[in-house]
Each structure stands twice: as C-alpha cells, then as structure tokens.
Amino acid sequence: LFRLNTDGSDYQVIRSLGTSRSDGGSPYTTPLLRDGFIIGLTSSSGAGGNGTLYSLRKEVAVGGSVSADGSPLPGVTLFGLPGSPVSGADGQYSASVPLRWSGTVTPVLAGRSFTPASRMLADVQRDQTGQDFTASTCAVLSLSPEVLPTGWLGTPSRRRPVGLVAT
C-alpha cells in the first residue's frame, strides 16, 4: 500500500504486503478508505493460508497538555503540527498527522519558556497523546529595530554586515 499526492509527488510506502504467508501476501481487492482507515483483503496468509482482512489507519493523533504551576495553560501555539493548534481552556491540544509523520513540536507563548523546549517525533505509527509541556515565566525583551547595533565583521576584503537579533 502506498500514498501519493494527486499531482504524483510525495510517494511513500505505507505497508508492504509481501508474498509470505505471515505478512498478508497478494493483495486481493482494491483498498477502501472508510472512517480514516484503509481496509482491504489479501488472498494468502492468515489461518490456513486463506487470506487476511487488514485495516490501516490513514492518520494518527498527536496531542497532550500544557500547564504552568500545576494549572492548565490556554493559548499556547504548538508550531510544527498541521494547523498549529492552540491549547484550549483545559490546557489540552491535539492534531491529526499522516501515518508515519515526523516533525518537531514547539510550544510558543509570549513571556513563557517550556520544558521540554520542543519534542521531536519520528515515524509516528500510533496515537501520541502524552506529549505534555510545562511552562515557566521568563523575561520579555522588546527592542525597536532603529536602536539595534549594527556593524561589520571580518577583514576589509571580506566584510559581512552584522546586526543583533533578539528571539
């Protein structure tokens, strides 16, 4: 089984169905998509080698909670997830990602730092609902662009402009 964008790009194997009895060899029917699952039938494997009905999830959930001082923290944007979800009043967030998704989830809210600072998820094949973050208060620095120091770095023949960037 594979996935493919309608323009032919992003080919990815979701599941290989080999010819061995144990792996559900010889796909027998056209796979169907129903309620977020891919469903199909193989002509061999299973009990007595008579075939296997299989189903695979097309998407999985990534989510968790965000808290500060033991209380839910609403309004935190979780960058890196599809749609950049925002934690609700209960501090919970969630997003659907494609099966085998990889990415880094980074919580952001002005005046807060987070532990962990981000979470890297790789080859997600089942729901990941315990991806929690804890916030603490941090100082906020505001600078106007016109007061940022600038200058040059390097030798006269290889000078590079530099400037201060605050994040």
Side-chain angles (χ1 to χ4, degrees):
L1 297 175
F2 62 91
R3 71 180 262 189
L4 181 69
N5 290 336
T6 55
D7 66 1
S9 65
D10 197 29
Y11 173 82
Q12 294 179 2
V13 174
I14 296 173
R15 177 85 165 117
S16 294
L17 296 173
T19 56
S20 77
R21 289 193 176 284
S22 64
D23 195 29
S26 305
Y28 185 68
T29 61
T30 302
L32 302 173
L33 177 61
R34 183 172 176 115
D35 299 326
F37 286 85
I38 299 170
I39 303 169
L41 180 66
T42 63
S43 63
S44 62
S45 85
N50 293 321
T52 301
L53 176 66
Y54 65 86
S55 69
L56 298 171
R57 288 181 72 175
K58 181 179 147 188
E59 293 185 332
V60 292
V62 172
S65 65
V66 186
S67 62
D69 300 319
S71 298
L73 183 61
V76 177
T77 302
L78 287 298
F79 287 104
L81 288 170
S84 298
V86 177
S87 62
D90 59 357
Q92 299 292 312
Y93 72 92
S94 75
S96 292
V97 299
L99 187 67
R100 306 198 80 152
W101 178 83
S102 293
T104 301
V105 182
T106 305
V108 175
L109 182 64
R112 301 288 184 153
S113 62
F114 294 89
T115 303
S118 63
R119 288 187 178 274
M120 192 163 123
L121 302 172
D123 195 27
V124 176
Q125 296 185 39
R126 60 183 49 97
D127 291 345
Q128 300 289 319
T129 55
Q131 305 304 310
D132 301 340
F133 294 94
T134 303
S136 56
T137 305
C138 66
V140 176
L141 174 64
S142 296
L143 298 174
S144 300
E146 61 272 7
V147 298
L148 293 177
T150 59
W152 295 94
L153 180 66
T155 63
S157 64
R158 295 191 62 179
R159 288 204 266 177
R160 303 276 190 257
V162 295
L164 176 64
V165 177
T167 57

